[in-house]
Amino acid sequence: MSSLKSISLKVLKYLGITLVSLLAFMFIAPYVFADKINAEIKKIANEKLNAKLDYSESNISFFNHFPSLTVGLQQFKLSGSAPYENEKLITAKEIAFGINVSSLLFGKSINIDKIFVSEADINVKVNKEGLANYNVYKANTTQKEQKSEDSSLKLEKIEIKNSKIVYDDLSTKLHFDIFGFEYLGKGDLSKAVFDLYSKAKIEKLNILYENEPYLMNKKVNADLITKVNVNSLSFIFEQNDLKINNLLVDFKGKFDFLKEGYNMDFILKTTNSNLNDFFTAFPPKFITWLNKTELKGTTDFLLTLKGNYIASDNVAPALNLDFKIRDGFVNYNKSTNPITHLNLDIATKVPSLDPNLVIVDLKNLSLKMGNDYLKTKIYSTGTTIAQVDANLDAKIDLGKLNEALGIPEIELKGILIADAKAKGLFDQKKGVFPVTNAKIELKEGYLKTKFYPNPITNIQLTATVSNTKGTFDDLKVITKPAQFTFEGNPIFVDADLSNFKNLTYDIKAKGILDIAKIYKVFAQEGLNVQGIIKADLHLKGNQSDAEKGRYSKLHNSGTLEIRNINVITQYLPKNFLIKQGIFKFNQDKMNFKTFLASYGQSDFKMNGYFQNVFNFMASKNGVLRGAFSFNSNFINADEFMSTTNNLVPTTVTEKTSSSKVNVASKGVIVIPPNLDLYLQGNAQKIDFNGLTLKEAKGALKLKNGLLTIQNTGFDLIGCKITMDATYQNITLKKALFDYHIKANEFDIKRAYNEVKLFREMASAAEKAQGIISLDYNLKGRLNENMEPVFPSLVGNGIISVKNIKFYGLKMFNAVASKTNHEGLKDPEVNKIDIKSSIKNNIITLERFKFKFAGFRPRIEGTTSLDGKLNIKMRLGLPPLGIIGVPLIITGNKDNPKVKIGRTSEDLEETQDTTD
């Protein structure tokens, strides 16, 4: 017993000494090795990172992340890689690096085997070209370096606590936010290929694609096994069990980083899941609905995304989605008529993420509500050219369906009976249409939304669509009757349409429709569109008779009265408001009288007619013809310039949702190609690109996208000007013009002060006074600001000078200084015709001569539109100019250089290289 007691005491003694030694070492070691550890951290940062790293202070301890010896960097900041080097990739309260104690004591270098991250903000960004900000780690470039024993990163553990990740990829248009992120990952990260075992927890997950939310505020728990290949930057997701709210999901796949993109092979699926659990993973608006809805049934979901994504080459992966519901039950808010026997089987494929190639295979959608039922199946490939096979069989009370589903913000009623079949190819260019036999009937229909207090009632519709041959010329659409009542006004429409290759129509319409009120039934709050249409029409005929002028075969009659109608078109950036107008239909003509309209600040009063209206509205290639006169007090032509809107996504934060901001850029005035119109106009005032035209009169013709102005006269800067011109836009950003302008005796000083184009093209007139006349031809290109592109200008003409005096003109001052003749300063010029031409940014002056103060100058040469000079002058000396001094004037208008002689160098031309 004595011996056993002695041994026990010795064991306890040695254990105590060992424990005290270890504790002493744990307290002392951080101070002993502090310099070595800090030096190694800086060495790693310099050698392994190509981004700026910063932190406020560091501390070394065994106890912050016991039992690991860690160096903690407080208030850690790491910038991103190019092109985001000026933005932070990671900011964190602390990032701690676990030190391998063995390497600290016995190794030549220190190995870091753990990383701990606390309260971090991680912002990952990828631009439109696929360049990311996370490429901060310098890869080894030689085989020798890869085998080196000095590698300081041999990670075995990564732990992240209470952090946030924002991923914003402009190349894929994918954005996600992760809040309350907890992560624990283990594996030998120092190897080229290793398995990473991970546990992750997310308090809130938001996923957006093209700024549309798909998952918002979702909780996620995940157990993951990921095979990582560092050399090829490849990730294989071998076993990944996710729980999104209550939905269990299996996720597998592969993700490879390519030079300018990614290679993806993802599989996301859930099998035999509870239908109610499935909807818990949906966006928030569904969760609100789910709280009041009883859902039963099972579901299968399979999502795959496979292929390369390379934004610069427009290469995208294929997306496949399969979704099934079996024996579903839906009952919203304990309705008396629940949906039973709900079955859904749909498969969707989107090759290369191209919506034009989408394949939809709805194998079955069926449901019952008592004796009511709905059955349908649809198979469709593509959009512009589509293979279609569809069936619809329904007899259902829409009111009961609306109650059972709990469709938000809308109230539907009515008995819908439908029997429709369609099978075949749709190809409008080839005139092919699926063989179709469909009949749809709606009785006692009713529609009410939250946006307007009163419903649309008494909706009655009987429509048949038939096509037995599978061609557009065999297609028939008949709606008899079609009617509804809104705000006490009944609307009746009967339509019989056939032969859509040469559309034959018989349409009757009668009633009063308040556009403002009916728009509010469907529109969002805060928007307001006004307008009233009163119709009593009978239109009967066919397209070919209208196109070929066989108007006697048309039977169009009746009136259409409109008031306060907003016309929105892709060709104009603002709405065209028709204040009042009465259209009278007579065969192919639609006459209008005392038609009042406005566009922005502009006002119009018109009389005339349109022709081929129905063909224009019904056909892509239909041309609207017409002739009318208009009078206006004021036209602001700048407001007709087109705009192109770019949607810029805003940043999504924890407290805000996604949004889009419209950024408008300018564009040229767009002339629609399907107009053939003749206008005789009279405008009291027109503002255009800094010019103010008064008393404008003339004829304007629009045809095939070309605007022609003939015999147009107007008053500009107190001068009567006549002009003929043509204008045609080539794109939204480019247009061509060609005009001939004639102006008699205008004040040159006023022209310089008030006309921007004159100031730019005749900069020498800055300090001139007097009267000149102009007869000039000019053509060229306009940019998106409707400004001339100088290198594109080509023209010629005559400028006639009358009583012009130049004050302080630097060119003549330089000549006076060079020749020692003070009388050459401030020359006066009278009754001279100056011929010139313009090409490639150069104005060429033909030889002209004049006399003043006894001198007889003769001038010719070139000047560029940006003020450079290459002028030849012969200065004839008094009294008769027989003796002359040859001069060469170069430099520019602000710094002319004069030398005596005859040799000069041509100015460099600037050609218009734009396609």
Side-chain angles (χ1 to χ4, degrees):
M1 290 294 294
S2 176
S3 176
L4 180 62
K5 182 178 179 181
S6 175
I7 292 172
S8 299
L9 289 173
K10 287 182 179 180
V11 170
L12 290 173
K13 177 181 177 181
Y14 288 126
L15 285 175
I17 292 171
T18 302
L19 181 60
V20 170
S21 299
L22 285 174
L23 289 173
F25 175 77
M26 294 174 72
F27 277 105
I28 296 170
Y31 298 98
V32 173
F33 296 102
D35 292 340
K36 182 178 180 181
I37 292 173
N38 282 321
E40 194 68 27
I41 293 294
K42 292 179 180 179
K43 178 183 175 183
I44 293 172
N46 291 329
E47 292 182 354
K48 302 297 183 180
L49 298 178
N50 58 4
K52 183 180 178 181
L53 185 149
D54 192 17
Y55 54 91
S56 61
E57 61 176 316
S58 65
N59 61 73
I60 303 169
S61 172
F62 274 100
F63 301 102
N64 289 341
H65 298 276
F66 187 83
S68 298
L69 173 62
T70 60
V71 53
L73 306 181
Q74 309 299 315
Q75 305 303 322
F76 178 91
K77 298 177 183 178
L78 177 64
S79 298
S81 57
Y84 295 100
E85 56 265 58
N86 295 323
E87 299 181 30
K88 294 293 183 288
L89 171 63
I90 301 174
T91 59
K93 180 181 179 181
E94 179 193 50
I95 288 186
F97 300 94
I99 307 299
N100 183 286
V101 177
S102 175
S103 70
L104 179 66
L105 295 174
F106 309 111
K108 294 181 180 180
S109 63
I110 298 174
N111 290 333
I112 295 173
D113 56 11
K114 300 178 183 67
I115 292 180
F116 303 90
V117 180
S118 176
E119 298 183 27
D121 282 355
I122 303 171
N123 291 286
V124 180
K125 291 187 175 183
V126 183
N127 66 13
K128 291 182 179 180
E129 290 72 35
L131 300 175
N133 69 339
Y134 51 74
N135 296 315
V136 296
Y137 185 76
K138 294 179 182 179
N140 290 327
T141 57
T142 66
Q143 191 70 19
K144 181 178 179 180
E145 288 175 331
Q146 291 175 0
K147 293 182 180 180
S148 173
E149 294 298 327
D150 292 332
S151 175
S152 297
L153 285 174
K154 293 185 177 181
L155 295 178
E156 297 175 358
K157 180 179 179 180
I158 298 175
E159 184 176 327
I160 301 174
K161 289 187 176 182
N162 192 26
S163 294
K164 180 179 77 172
I165 300 175
V166 176
Y167 178 90
D168 190 23
D169 190 338
L170 298 181
S171 68
T172 61
K173 300 179 182 177
L174 178 66
H175 180 105
F176 63 76
D177 307 307
I178 296 175
F179 300 104
F181 182 51
E182 304 278 343
Y183 176 82
L184 177 62
K186 295 182 179 180
D188 191 349
L189 279 68
S190 64
K191 293 182 179 179
V193 180
F194 61 90
D195 288 335
L196 178 64
Y197 297 85
S198 307
K199 288 183 177 293
K201 181 180 178 181
I202 300 172
E203 285 298 318
K204 290 183 181 180
L205 171 65
N206 302 328
I207 297 179
L208 301 94
Y209 178 67
E210 291 188 338
N211 249 15
E212 294 297 329
Y214 285 82
L215 294 178
M216 298 296 289
N217 299 325
K218 300 303 175 187
K219 289 187 176 182
V220 178
N221 287 282
D223 287 324
L224 314 172
I225 300 177
T226 307
K227 185 178 289 294
V228 181
N229 188 323
V230 176
N231 293 334
S232 63
L233 282 178
S234 174
F235 300 87
I236 300 175
F237 305 96
E238 293 182 328
Q239 178 184 328
N240 298 275
D241 298 321
L242 305 178
K243 187 176 182 182
I244 305 174
N245 281 9
N246 296 329
L247 179 66
L248 293 173
V249 179
D250 180 30
F251 172 61
K252 295 181 180 179
K254 181 180 180 182
F255 188 87
D256 296 332
F257 285 91
L258 305 178
K259 184 177 180 181
E260 294 181 346
Y262 319 103
N263 174 264
M264 293 174 276
D265 188 357
F266 294 144
I267 300 174
L268 183 70
K269 69 176 181 178
T270 178
T271 306
N272 287 325
S273 296
N274 183 284
L275 185 59
N276 188 82
D277 291 344
F278 183 80
F279 270 83
T280 63
F282 273 54
K285 60 182 179 181
F286 287 96
I287 302 302
T288 304
W289 171 82
L290 188 61
N291 290 334
K292 295 182 180 181
T293 305
E294 184 181 1
L295 276 179
K296 298 178 183 178
T298 57
T299 180
D300 297 340
F301 177 84
L302 174 63
L303 174 70
T304 66
L305 186 64
K306 185 174 182 179
N308 290 342
Y309 189 97
I310 304 174
S312 58
D313 295 334
N314 292 321
V315 175
L319 174 69
N320 295 335
L321 172 65
D322 292 352
F323 183 46
K324 295 181 177 67
I325 297 176
R326 292 182 295 277
D327 199 22
F329 176 92
V330 184
N331 189 6
Y332 177 78
N333 206 23
K334 299 180 180 180
S335 74
T336 56
N337 296 281
I339 294 173
T340 63
H341 300 88
L342 172 63
N343 291 284
L344 172 67
D345 187 352
I346 183 171
T348 303
K349 298 180 180 180
V350 189
S352 301
L353 293 179
D354 186 349
N356 294 320
L357 303 176
V358 65
I359 300 173
V360 177
D361 187 3
L362 177 60
K363 300 180 180 70
N364 177 38
L365 170 59
S366 60
L367 59 88
K368 288 186 177 181
M369 287 195 315
N371 294 324
D372 290 358
Y373 66 90
L374 182 147
K375 299 177 182 178
T376 185
K377 70 173 186 176
I378 300 171
Y379 179 82
S380 175
T381 62
T383 52
T384 54
I385 300 176
Q387 188 71 39
V388 178
D389 186 358
N391 285 282
L392 172 63
D393 183 13
K395 182 179 180 298
I396 197 161
D397 187 321
L398 296 178
K400 295 179 181 178
L401 180 65
N402 189 81
E403 289 179 1
L405 289 175
I407 301 175
E409 302 172 354
I410 189 171
E411 186 177 353
L412 282 172
K413 294 180 183 179
I415 305 299
L416 175 66
I417 302 173
D419 184 8
K421 296 180 181 179
K423 187 174 184 179
L425 183 67
F426 174 86
D427 188 341
Q428 188 173 4
K429 288 185 177 180
K430 294 183 178 179
V432 179
F433 194 90
V435 174
T436 304
N437 185 13
K439 183 176 181 180
I440 300 174
E441 185 176 356
L442 178 61
K443 300 177 181 178
E444 300 300 325
Y446 176 101
L447 172 63
K448 184 178 182 297
T449 70
K450 73 167 189 175
F451 304 111
Y452 192 74
N454 298 325
I456 301 173
T457 62
N458 193 30
I459 304 172
Q460 310 288 343
L461 173 66
T462 300
T464 60
V465 181
S466 63
N467 188 339
T468 58
K469 297 180 181 179
T471 59
F472 266 83
D473 54 6
D474 191 52
L475 179 60
K476 297 178 182 179
V477 179
I478 300 173
T479 59
K480 290 185 178 181
Q483 67 180 68
F484 63 89
T485 300
F486 183 65
E487 290 286 9
N489 295 319
I491 308 294
F492 301 92
V493 178
D494 284 351
D496 188 342
L497 309 175
S498 62
N499 189 3
F500 279 65
K501 196 172 182 180
N502 174 28
L503 185 61
T504 300
Y505 57 89
D506 187 353
I507 301 173
K508 296 177 183 176
K510 188 173 183 178
I512 300 174
L513 190 61
D514 191 324
I515 299 295
K517 293 178 179 178
I518 200 166
Y519 182 82
K520 289 180 181 178
V521 173
F522 303 98
Q524 297 179 359
E525 288 183 292
L527 298 179
N528 184 25
V529 177
Q530 296 182 342
I532 292 177
I533 298 177
K534 182 179 180 181
D536 188 358
L537 297 174
H538 185 193
L539 308 175
K540 187 175 182 180
N542 65 51
Q543 268 185 271
S544 61
D545 288 338
E547 289 175 350
K548 296 178 180 179
R550 298 190 290 261
Y551 304 134
S552 61
K553 295 185 177 182
L554 303 177
H555 302 281
N556 299 325
S557 62
T559 60
L560 184 68
E561 182 179 349
I562 57 179
R563 295 198 303 272
N564 297 327
I565 297 294
N566 268 315
V567 178
I568 302 172
T569 171
Q570 61 178 322
Y571 300 111
L572 298 173
K574 292 181 178 292
N575 294 357
F576 196 92
L577 176 63
I578 304 172
K579 296 180 179 179
Q580 70 176 53
I582 297 177
F583 293 103
K584 290 188 177 181
F585 290 82
N586 182 16
Q587 302 300 77
D588 190 49
K589 284 189 177 180
M590 186 173 75
N591 297 289
F592 54 93
K593 187 177 182 181
T594 315
F595 204 86
L596 302 180
S598 66
Y599 177 85
Q601 298 176 341
S602 307
D603 64 89
F604 305 92
K605 181 178 180 181
M606 297 178 286
N607 295 281
Y609 71 89
F610 287 126
Q611 200 168 12
N612 199 39
V613 176
F614 193 82
N615 181 44
F616 170 73
M617 296 173 62
S619 170
K620 261 189 175 182
N621 300 319
V623 177
L624 180 64
R625 301 184 181 93
F628 53 92
S629 62
F630 77 88
N631 291 281
S632 175
N633 293 313
F634 176 61
I635 297 175
N636 186 347
D638 294 331
E639 293 182 325
F640 286 83
M641 293 172 65
S642 66
T643 59
T644 54
N645 290 323
N646 302 310
L647 290 178
V648 179
T650 60
T651 302
V652 179
T653 65
E654 184 175 5
K655 296 182 180 180
T656 62
S657 60
S658 65
S659 62
K660 296 180 182 179
V661 178
N662 276 321
V663 179
S665 59
K666 291 184 178 180
V668 299
I669 297 173
V670 176
I671 307 299
N674 52 349
L675 297 181
D676 185 359
L677 303 176
Y678 179 82
L679 297 81
Q680 184 68 42
N682 183 358
Q684 297 300 312
K685 181 182 176 183
I686 300 176
D687 279 357
F688 170 61
N689 203 20
L691 300 178
T692 298
L693 315 181
K694 296 181 179 180
E695 301 295 335
K697 296 180 180 180
L700 185 149
K701 186 176 182 180
L702 299 172
K703 188 172 184 178
N704 298 327
L706 178 69
L707 182 151
T708 304
I709 299 174
Q710 298 172 328
N711 301 319
T712 298
F714 53 88
D715 184 286
L716 176 65
I717 59 170
C719 171
K720 296 294 182 183
I721 296 175
T722 58
M723 184 174 69
D724 295 326
T726 61
Y727 170 90
Q728 185 175 32
N729 67 285
I730 306 303
T731 67
L732 290 174
K733 299 283 190 178
K734 181 171 69 173
L736 302 178
F737 73 94
D738 185 348
Y739 72 79
H740 171 238
I741 186 170
K742 189 173 183 179
N744 290 320
E745 297 191 351
F746 63 88
D747 188 317
I748 189 172
K749 187 173 185 63
R750 185 174 175 185
Y752 186 89
N753 291 333
E754 299 182 21
V755 181
K756 180 182 178 183
L757 181 60
F758 183 84
R759 190 161 57 246
E760 291 174 341
M761 297 187 64
S763 56
E766 179 182 4
K767 296 183 178 180
Q769 291 183 357
I771 304 297
I772 65 173
S773 297
L774 179 68
D775 189 350
Y776 221 89
N777 296 287
L778 191 66
K779 64 180 180 180
R781 180 170 64 84
L782 301 173
N783 64 17
E784 63 268 24
N785 296 315
M786 291 294 289
E787 297 171 340
V789 178
F790 286 156
S792 74
L793 298 180
V794 177
N796 62 79
I798 299 174
I799 299 175
S800 299
V801 177
K802 179 181 179 182
N803 297 329
I804 292 292
K805 184 167 185 177
F806 295 96
Y807 291 95
L809 190 64
K810 292 184 179 180
M811 187 183 81
F812 281 97
N813 289 346
V815 172
S817 176
K818 186 70 176 179
T819 59
N820 294 318
H821 290 288
E822 291 296 317
L824 292 173
K825 291 184 177 180
D826 302 335
E828 294 185 18
V829 183
N830 190 26
K831 294 183 180 180
I832 299 173
D833 290 339
I834 303 173
K835 296 180 180 181
S836 66
S837 60
I838 299 174
K839 188 176 182 180
N840 297 335
N841 210 40
I842 300 297
I843 301 175
T844 301
L845 302 173
E846 296 186 17
R847 180 179 293 183
F848 67 95
K849 56 185 178 180
F850 56 97
K851 60 181 179 179
F852 73 95
F855 295 95
R856 296 175 182 265
R858 187 182 72 198
I859 296 176
E860 60 187 302
T862 58
T863 176
S864 67
L865 291 174
D866 58 0
K868 294 179 181 178
L869 303 174
N870 183 25
I871 302 294
K872 296 179 181 179
M873 177 185 290
R874 180 189 182 277
L875 184 60
L877 302 177
L880 300 175
I882 297 175
I883 300 174
V885 179
L887 301 172
I888 298 297
I889 305 169
T890 58
N892 56 59
K893 67 181 183 67
D894 295 319
N895 186 24
K897 298 178 181 179
V898 180
K899 65 179 180 178
I900 298 175
R902 301 180 184 276
T903 305
S904 65
E905 296 182 1
D906 293 337
L907 294 178
E908 183 179 353
E909 296 183 347
T910 305
Q911 296 185 355
D912 184 22
T913 58
T914 304
D915 294 333

